[in-house]
Structures are given as structure tokens and as C-alpha cells.
Amino acid sequence: MNGRDLVRSVKAVSVVGPAQGLRAVRASWRRRRVDAAGLAPRGPERARVPGAVVGVDPEPGGGVVRFARSRLRITVTVGGAVFWGWDGAEPGPSYALADVCPEADPRAVLEPDKDGGWRVVAERVTVVVSRHGAVEVCTPGGVTLRRDLPPRWWEPEGGGEARWVQRAQVAADARFFGLGGRASGPRLRDGSYRLWNTGPGGSFGPGDDPLSITMPVQLVVADAGTHLVFHDNTWDGVVSLREGREGAGSGHDSCGSCEVRMEGGPLRCWVVVGTPARVLHTWAQLTGAAAVPPAWALGHQHARWDFGSEEEVRRVVTGYKERALPLEAVHLGIDHYAARQVFTVDRERFPSLPRLATELRGEGVRLVSVIDPAIKAEHGNAAYDAGRAIDAFVRDTAGRAVRGVGWPGESVFPDFTAERVRKWWGGLYEERLEQGFSGFWLDMNEPASFAAFGDTTLPRSARHALDGRGGDHREAHNVYGLCMARACYDGMRELQPRQRPFVLSRSGWVGMQRYGGAWPGDGATGWPGLRASLSLVVGLGLCGVPYAGPDVGGFDGHPSPELYLRWFQLGAYMPLFRTHSALRAGRCEPWEFGDEVLGHARAALEERRRLLPYFMTLAHLARRTGAPYVRPLWWGAPEDRSLRDCEDAFLLGDCLLVAPVLEAGVEHRTVRLPQGRWYDTATGEVFEGPGSVRVACPLSRIAVLARAGSVLPVRGRHGGVELEVWAPAPGRTGGGLVVRDAGDGWEEPVIERFQVQWAGGRVVVAAEGGGEPSCPVRVRGV
């Protein structure tokens, strides 16, 4: 445990109190003793490198290159993704991949290259393997995007998992993005980033790393092109990045570098090359389509750490209703449970939860329940007794159920890497659904406890099923939250087969978008926390998790009215729009900050409701194409270096550019524009990009610009869909589409496409193939 981890543990103990803190200390020492007995010391190690090429075995899509001390398999898939694995590593089994491994492209062949190396030439990429094991990824034109140097392993002389390091070089102008949910970014500066899902031990800000969702996924953007690289390995690791430097002339550049170090597991890698849209599309085909949330989950949601009682929930919902503030869901935290034990209800404070849920549903408000993986280790607890009966809990090397400290006290933890345990756990949600809940947010599932936030609740030597392969917690830790989300999603699909599940997860891994969205954890109250919340959502979207959102207002403190409002205005344009606070005295409801803030918050809520058809369209597009709702400004122009370095604004789909206020006292701000014409949606003022412009953002609003020629589906006065069309620049055309959701079930939605053009001095909007649009049209910007 390093200094930062110790601080996290102390913060956690201050939250739970001295009694729980004492249990946490005991659990931490117990875990260390278990690991000392269960993990063999590494002892002396031997270093190994591949050596020189000794032969090849061609196969469809590539083949195997044999070296003196290792072998490398390279395969180019039909979709254009490149896989390579060392020492016999295959694409599967993998928790990241959806269904089966993609088919190899028979047109890609392994052929000799210069200097004794080999290469595979495909339609979208060329892969060159040097005679000593360096792997170079090039564009079809031969420009190098990435060069991975020969890897190095450290193998224990007595046998066991080998550690390995893989170093790579990228272009001097390249910028790094991704690696999951990172509070510092979204552009990742020089430094080291740990790959170990970690409960923050309280609230977090830009300097805190790692957090609850770490992924070995990098998106690298350079002049020569964009590529995504994914090291498919769930073990603990560190990624060290260093941006390059461009010299004064040819030959004076300093390449950027990336070093990946893993404590074990296979050395296997996927690379995808192309435009950002093509890369994310191929990535979604590999890792699975994003789940589409039910329509109500795209509206405003409200959470508090402790509502305290049914009466308080009713008071808050009534407050929204009386002030004409849209509200779609209320989230109940851990304190609505009896003794904070999941799948129970505190009957004193919530005596008639099903009736409350029915009442709220009648007002258009859903109830969402928090779920933790910790099960109180106590006979008579139904979940504990049932889990023991089927051997559901994680065990140590001696066969004893591992215990840690969670909200209910001393607890055991289900092994979600076993299919039978996931099925059992999914069945437990029947109790939640009978109580009237419509969705679930999964918390503390790194898994975290109050014993040692910087490390893990479970000993590293703890045994896991890993879906039949068997292994220990070193391999299972990072996918624990992913498998818990899968258990919840599959359980809901079985219990309510006609409804799309709503699942949020604090922790996860590559592929978690298949089961729902991400709630990145408890953001610190303050302007840095506001900036970090934007970074997290953009970074997760670039890793394939499009539905995410922060704790609006910050979780742990008392935001100023200005900070709260600016966070609220940003949240209105986030995929998940949820206020959340740990403050028991309210203070996260909009009316708690005065009449001025209330009026401006109402305007933000009304705008979010007006944009719901657009958010639904973005949700379905994310499922079909992999494109996130929230995109960096360079999404359509990665060659624009100024856009790569812009981190204080984002694109919402193709139509809108959102520039939030991230500092106190700001009423005008500079906005960097991509190429084209843009309209201020509040004033109609016209701006031309590329370039920087100064835009007004008084306390009543943030800067939101619409792209010329875009078709924006919005909610009309009577609840139907209308088209808000922004006039294209003279001589230009535009267009867009609307995905009409068929409800919260599984019916395929109707997709309508539209073209926009000037004709006879008028802006003409036509449905694809000709004809009038099927809904009202309002043209703006003329």
C-alpha cells in the first residue's frame, strides 16, 4: 500500500466510523496473511526476448511467425481489426469480446519483407514483423502509425506467471486518449496510469488515479491517422505514456512512447486503424453493441446518499412537481436497506415501498435501487444462507469463504466469474422488482471495502471460477464489476423479458457497455471536480462506453450556487443526467440554491426534455455504430492539432457543440470551432470555423452551438417529435436522421433520414427518397 492508498483508507474509515474502521483494519491484516500463505514468492527470474526468426506458418488472414524463443500469431479480421498474440496466446477466451472471435480475412496473406522480416497486407492496414520481433502498424500508404518493439518477459525459475513489458513508439505529434475513466484528461499527459480498478475511498478529483474503471485501451490520434490499441489482459499493470516532441527540422523529431507492464497473463493485442468513427465502429463489433437505456433513463434523475424515509422521497418528488421541474427517476441509496444489507428493506423507514413506487410511477417517476456485492456473513440472512448452499462466495486457497468489510459489516462476496453464481444472483433481483424498482446502480463493485481502498477487498490469492478456467483474484479483479453487471442485466432480461434493463455500474472493464452504462463514482465538490467529470465521460466514450454521467453538483461538499448551476447545465447535455449528493440535509435539489438558480436550472431541465428525441437517436446510433453520444472536438477532423488539445468542450452527436463553464465568474468564454458554420442556439449568432471565437455564457446558460445543415429531432409542445433544422451555409447542403424509439422494449425502431438544401432562396427539407417529412419542421438560422 503506497501513500495515496493509505490516504484513501483513512478517508474511508472516517466515513464508516471507528467500529467499522476497526473491522477494516482486521480484515486488511487478515487479507495480507492469506496472501502470504497463498501466493508463492517469485524468487529468481529469467529474462527472455523472442530472438531471431526461424520460420513461418501461413494461415488465412496472416499466420504464425516462429522465433528462436517465442512465436507470434498475427491475424487480420474481415472487419479490418488486427490481432497478435505471443507465446500461443489466442483471441479467446476473453471477457472483452462479444460472442465469438471475428472471422479472418482470407485476402490478407503473410509474405516476406525486407531484412528477413515478414508482413501482412490488408485493405486498411499493413503489419510488418521484423526479424527480431518488432511489430509495425502502417496505413495502406505505408506511413507508420505504431511500432511495438520486441517484448520482454521475466519468468520465475521455479515456474509460474511471467511478467512482461511491451514498449511502443508513435508519431511525434500523436496524442493519447482512453484507458477507461480517468479524472485527468481526456487527453492523457506524460505519466503512468495503473490498470487496477480502485474504489476512490471517498470523493475524487483530477489528481486521483486509478479510479473504478480502468481499461487497457488507448486511442492514439496523429496527423498520419488514428488507431486504437487494446492489450487484452485483465491483470494488474501500468501504462506509461510520453508524448513526442517535434524538432526544428526534418530528422529532429522525438517519437512519442508507450510502455505497458503487466504482472502476468497473456501478451495479446488488438489494433484498429482508420477514422475515429470507423475505429469505434470496428471496436463495437469486437466488444459488443452498447445497450440502449429505456427512454425514461435519458431524462433527469435524482439521487441522495440517504433519503431517510418514504416521507422524504415524497417531499422531494413533490418539490419537483410543484416547481414544474421535470424528473424521471429517484435513486435510493444503501440506507433504505435494513442494516444496509442488500435485498432487504428497512420496514420502519420504508414501510410501504411497493405503494410508494406505484404512486411515483403514476407521476412519471421511477425508483432505482443501489446494489452492492457485499453480503453480510450472518446466518439467518437469506442471501447469505442461499449463497452458502450453492457455494457462491469467493474462497481462499484453504477453501474458506473470504471475508471483507462492506456497508453491512463483515461480508462475503459472490464469485461473479462463475455462470451459475451469476444466474443465482440475477434471480435475487425478483425481490427488488417486487418492491417496485425499475432499474439498478451497482456500487462498491471493484470490489471495494473499507479495509484497503488502494488495493482490493479480496486477497490476490483468492480463487475464482473464471468461467471454468480457474484462477486467482489477480486475474479476476478487473472483470469483477463487469461480471456483476452482466449478472444484473441477464437477471432483469429473464425476469422482465419485454423491457430493456437499466443498469449503471461504478466499476467495469472492456465490454461493459453490453450490459448498461457507467457511473464513475463520487466526484469531489469543486471546480476541479466539475472538470474531471467531463474528462471521465469523454474518456469512457472513446473506450466504447457511451452512456455515462457524473454526480451533478459533486458528492461530498456544499457547492456554491454558481458551481451547482454550472454543473447542472453541463449535466443537461451528458448521456446520464443525475444529481447525487452525500449531504443529508438536501442541498442537491435545485430550489435549495435560491430563486435565480432555480429559474436557470428549470431552463436546463426543460431543454433536456426538449432534446430527448435527439438523445434517443444518439442512443440507438451508439448501439449500431459505436459512436459515443459525447465526442471530442477532433472527432470529425483528427488532423486538426488545435482540436486535439481542446479539452473544455465537446460534440454532442453530429449536431451540437457544447462549451460548458468550468471556472468561477465566467460569462464569456473562448470556444474552438471545427470547420464549418456554427450557430449560437440561444442568440442565432453565426460563427465560421475553423478557429476560435468568443461566445457569451451568462449565468442563465452555457454556450451551445448548432452545426449548419444539421437536423435536430426535438420534443414539440404537444409531446411529438419535431425537426429543428439549422440552415446550411449558402451553396452547401446538410442532413440528418431521427431514430424513433418504439418504447422500452426490444422492437426495432424506425429510422428516418432527411436532406437539407437551398432551393429558390428557401431552405428545403425532404425525406430520403423525396417527399415531405412526417413531422413538423422549424428552420432556424435564415
Side-chain angles (χ1 to χ4, degrees):
M1 180 185 294
N2 60 29
R4 179 177 294 176
D5 297 338
L6 180 60
V7 170
R8 287 178 167 180
S9 295
V10 171
K11 287 167 61 179
V13 170
S14 69
V15 172
V16 301
Q20 287 280 64
L22 181 58
R23 295 191 188 99
V25 171
R26 290 173 178 168
S28 181
W29 282 111
R30 184 167 60 228
R31 175 176 51 80
R32 292 176 183 276
R33 289 198 304 270
V34 168
D35 276 346
L39 291 178
R42 295 193 66 90
E45 295 178 319
R46 295 188 301 266
R48 174 170 62 89
V49 295
V53 170
V54 296
V56 298
D57 300 310
E59 296 175 352
V64 175
V65 182
R66 289 180 279 110
F67 296 86
R69 291 178 292 276
S70 187
R71 59 193 181 97
L72 171 68
R73 176 181 297 280
I74 292 186
T75 304
V76 179
T77 70
V78 171
V82 179
F83 170 82
W84 69 73
W86 289 92
D87 287 349
E90 300 283 348
S94 170
Y95 282 102
L97 302 186
D99 300 324
V100 298
C101 181
E103 182 183 355
D105 185 351
R107 299 171 298 174
V109 295
L110 187 64
E111 59 188 32
D113 193 49
K114 60 185 178 180
D115 299 327
W118 294 81
R119 66 178 181 175
V120 180
V121 180
E123 179 182 3
R124 300 176 187 171
V125 65
T126 297
V127 184
V128 180
V129 182
S130 78
R131 61 189 296 265
H132 288 290
V135 180
E136 198 167 319
V137 178
C138 306
T139 66
V143 179
T144 299
L145 296 177
R146 181 183 194 89
R147 185 172 189 270
D148 282 40
L149 303 178
R152 181 180 292 268
W153 294 266
W154 286 270
E155 300 168 329
E157 290 184 356
E161 285 287 339
R163 298 182 295 122
W164 55 262
V165 61
Q166 174 74 77
R167 297 183 176 92
Q169 298 171 338
V170 297
D173 66 285
R175 296 291 182 262
F176 297 98
F177 301 85
L179 294 183
R182 303 286 171 170
S184 299
R187 173 184 158 196
L188 301 175
R189 263 58 174 197
D190 295 1
S192 295
Y193 301 86
R194 190 178 178 193
L195 299 170
W196 188 255
N197 292 349
T198 305
S203 57
F204 64 85
D208 291 312
D209 188 82
L211 295 176
S212 299
I213 305 175
T214 67
M215 298 182 184
V217 180
Q218 305 166 45
L219 198 67
V220 186
V221 184
D223 288 352
T226 300
H227 72 275
L228 179 147
V229 57
F230 165 48
H231 291 88
D232 192 352
N233 185 309
T234 66
W235 283 62
D236 192 359
V238 174
V239 178
S240 299
L241 303 177
R242 183 179 62 82
E243 293 182 346
R245 301 289 184 271
E246 293 185 291
S250 177
H252 292 270
D253 290 352
S254 173
C255 293
S257 67
C258 166
E259 179 184 276
V260 180
R261 287 182 176 269
M262 288 291 185
E263 293 302 310
L267 202 177
R268 56 184 181 179
C269 182
W270 288 91
V271 175
V272 183
V273 174
T275 64
R278 182 183 289 276
V279 166
L280 267 293
H281 186 211
T282 304
W283 180 237
Q285 291 177 322
L286 278 175
T287 62
V292 178
W296 59 265
L298 294 172
H300 175 53
Q301 305 176 51
H302 186 79
R304 287 228 309 259
W305 186 74
D306 178 16
F307 276 101
S309 67
E310 288 185 13
E311 289 71 23
E312 178 65 8
V313 174
R314 288 190 175 92
R315 184 192 72 80
V316 170
V317 173
T318 300
Y320 273 92
K321 184 177 180 181
E322 289 177 346
R323 296 168 177 85
L325 302 174
L327 178 67
E328 274 69 40
V330 169
H331 294 228
L332 299 188
I334 198 70
D335 276 12
H336 84 278
Y337 289 116
R340 297 180 175 178
Q341 170 56 49
V342 295
F343 304 118
T344 66
V345 176
D346 188 328
R347 301 294 180 182
E348 292 185 4
R349 295 191 296 168
F350 290 85
S352 54
L353 198 50
R355 186 174 68 187
L356 172 66
T358 300
E359 291 175 7
L360 296 184
R361 181 76 69 91
E363 299 178 15
V365 178
R366 311 292 181 115
L367 276 184
V368 176
S369 171
V370 72
I371 300 289
D372 285 2
I375 298 294
K376 187 175 181 63
E378 181 178 77
H379 292 290
N381 174 9
Y384 175 70
D385 292 339
R388 286 190 68 216
I390 66 166
D391 190 22
F393 303 123
V394 177
R395 294 184 175 273
D396 61 21
T397 54
R400 298 167 299 205
V402 174
R403 297 195 177 194
V405 178
W407 282 115
E410 190 156 293
S411 306
V412 292
F413 298 84
D415 181 7
F416 296 117
T417 68
E419 183 178 2
R420 60 181 179 79
V421 176
R422 290 195 296 267
K423 187 172 182 60
W424 164 74
W425 184 263
L428 296 180
Y429 284 84
E430 185 173 9
E431 180 273 340
R432 296 282 84 194
L433 296 176
E434 289 175 351
Q435 296 294 335
F437 289 103
S438 299
F440 304 97
W441 53 299
L442 313 182
D443 195 9
M444 301 289 284
N445 60 336
E446 290 77 16
S449 79
F450 307 115
F453 269 82
D455 203 278
T456 173
T457 297
L458 304 176
R460 291 173 177 250
S461 59
R463 306 302 300 170
H464 289 266
L466 288 169
D467 287 287
R469 292 183 292 112
D472 60 38
H473 193 65
R474 294 174 297 176
E475 184 177 0
H477 175 83
N478 280 336
V479 295
Y480 189 87
L482 170 76
C483 294
M484 182 182 179
R486 178 181 178 181
C488 177
Y489 180 85
D490 290 346
M492 290 187 70
R493 286 212 61 174
E494 185 169 337
L495 293 167
Q496 293 184 330
R498 297 185 179 181
Q499 297 184 27
R500 295 198 299 265
F502 174 70
V503 180
L504 288 179
S505 184
R506 189 173 89 170
S507 183
W509 202 65
V510 179
M512 65 182 296
Q513 75 278 356
R514 300 190 294 261
Y515 313 119
W519 158 65
D522 303 330
T525 300
W527 294 97
L530 170 59
R531 186 177 290 271
S533 67
L534 173 57
S535 170
L536 284 159
V537 175
V538 175
L540 286 170
L542 293 177
C543 291
V545 185
Y547 182 72
D551 289 341
V552 169
F555 181 74
D556 65 337
H558 295 267
S560 68
E562 182 189 10
L563 172 61
Y564 177 86
L565 179 60
R566 292 309 195 185
W567 214 321
F568 202 89
Q569 290 166 337
L570 170 62
Y573 295 94
M574 294 278 99
L576 169 64
F577 182 18
R578 186 180 81 151
T579 47
H580 185 207
S581 172
L583 304 177
R584 296 174 185 243
R587 293 295 294 166
C588 65
E589 287 82 43
W591 56 87
E592 298 286 348
F593 295 86
D595 290 341
E596 183 180 18
V597 169
L598 175 61
H600 298 328
R602 180 182 294 110
L605 284 168
E606 290 173 349
E607 179 65 5
R608 174 59 175 238
R609 176 162 283 186
R610 192 179 78 92
L611 290 175
L612 284 179
Y614 185 49
F615 275 94
M616 182 55 68
T617 295
L618 295 179
H620 282 284
L621 286 178
R623 180 177 73 88
R624 290 169 176 265
T625 70
Y629 310 26
V630 170
R631 308 166 187 176
L633 292 188
W634 48 260
W635 179 260
E639 69 281 355
D640 188 333
R641 297 189 181 186
S642 63
L643 296 181
R644 284 184 225 156
D645 297 338
C646 183
E647 301 175 277
D648 60 357
F650 60 91
L651 299 174
L652 183 61
D654 288 328
C655 298
L656 298 179
L657 187 158
V658 182
V661 174
L662 303 175
E663 298 175 352
V666 172
E667 293 197 352
H668 289 81
R669 59 153 294 176
T670 300
V671 179
R672 187 77 192 181
L673 295 181
Q675 187 172 8
R677 172 171 290 187
W678 297 85
Y679 298 93
D680 187 324
T681 58
T683 66
E685 187 176 358
V686 180
F687 303 100
E688 297 290 342
S692 295
V693 298
R694 188 168 172 81
V695 182
C697 45
L699 196 61
S700 59
R701 68 177 190 270
I702 57 177
V704 180
L705 308 179
R707 190 192 301 270
S710 60
V711 177
L712 193 68
V714 298
R715 188 174 186 264
R717 291 184 179 180
H718 303 294
V721 175
E722 297 181 358
L723 300 183
E724 183 175 275
V725 178
W726 291 89
R732 297 297 185 95
T733 61
L737 56 81
V738 179
V739 181
R740 293 178 180 267
D741 192 52
D744 288 342
W746 301 97
E747 297 82 1
E748 278 298 313
V750 176
I751 302 177
E752 300 174 85
R753 293 178 172 83
F754 303 94
Q755 289 107 22
V756 181
Q757 61 183 354
W758 285 96
R762 298 172 58 245
V763 175
V764 177
V765 183
E768 185 179 51
E772 295 289 328
S774 61
C775 49
V777 176
R778 179 191 179 197
V779 178
R780 299 186 64 183
V782 293

